[in-house]
Amino acid sequence: DFRTEFMSATMNTDAAAVAEIFLHPTAVLGLSDAGAHITQFSEAGQTSQLLGHWVRERQAVSLEAAVRLITGAPAEIFGIPDRGRLAPGLAADITVFDPRTNPCHEEEIVHDMPGGPRYVARSSGIQWSFVNGQPIIRDGRLPEPDAVAEAGRVIRAA
């Protein structure tokens, strides 16, 4: 039925070099084309990839270093002083997961948008997620959108 897909690794193909980049003190995890290529790839699963593949499977990065890449490093770089760390007086943004089981799912194609398919990278294994101290994900269940409409806000750099 002509459903063959071809994928080509175009960047970051040297695992040792990627691990070295993760461990550099000025490294930050991130990639975005603002959704311009949703029919070609999805980077939505990069945090699960970091935790599942690089931390658990390859043991190339410590869990602490990976969590900092996901939380504290971006907050520091973008000048958002009340995010990225847990401390009294800061926003309570917390994600609770089991690092032994947080999976790294493969990308998949879904047909849920007009005009064609898109790639998604699903996540699972997150038991709880809090935004500003308000529970968003409870016992691994996603909320209804109207139940969390007031939890977050747009954050701008200082």
Side-chain angles (χ1 to χ4, degrees):
D1 293 331
F2 295 105
R3 295 182 186 214
T4 302
E5 292 179 46
F6 295 93
M7 296 292 280
S8 174
T10 57
M11 61 183 142
N12 299 329
T13 58
D14 182 339
V18 171
E20 185 178 343
I21 291 168
F22 285 148
L23 296 173
H24 194 278
T26 61
V28 66
L29 183 67
L31 175 65
S32 176
D33 63 358
H37 299 97
I38 60 173
T39 61
Q40 298 168 355
F41 60 85
S42 170
E43 291 297 329
Q46 66 181 329
T47 54
S48 294
Q49 176 79 8
L50 176 64
L51 295 169
H53 179 75
W54 294 99
V55 173
R56 186 181 60 248
E57 294 170 12
R58 293 187 69 96
Q59 298 179 354
V61 179
S62 72
L63 180 59
E64 295 81 5
V67 168
R68 183 185 172 285
L69 281 170
I70 297 168
T71 60
E76 290 168 21
I77 287 171
F78 295 115
I80 307 171
D82 69 334
R83 305 287 168 159
R85 297 177 296 121
L86 291 177
L90 300 185
D93 296 339
I94 303 167
T95 299
V96 179
F97 64 96
D98 184 345
R100 296 170 298 173
T101 61
N102 184 281
C104 179
H105 295 293
E106 293 293 322
E107 291 179 352
E108 62 183 280
I109 296 177
V110 296
H111 298 271
D112 63 353
M113 292 181 64
R118 69 183 178 108
Y119 277 93
V120 298
R122 300 195 189 273
S123 177
S124 61
I126 295 173
Q127 293 304 305
W128 289 86
S129 184
F130 299 84
V131 174
N132 291 323
Q134 180 179 340
I136 304 300
I137 297 174
R138 300 168 188 245
D139 290 322
R141 291 186 311 275
L142 292 173
E144 294 298 319
D146 59 337
V148 296
E150 300 299 317
R153 61 183 171 81
V154 174
I155 299 173
R156 302 200 189 285

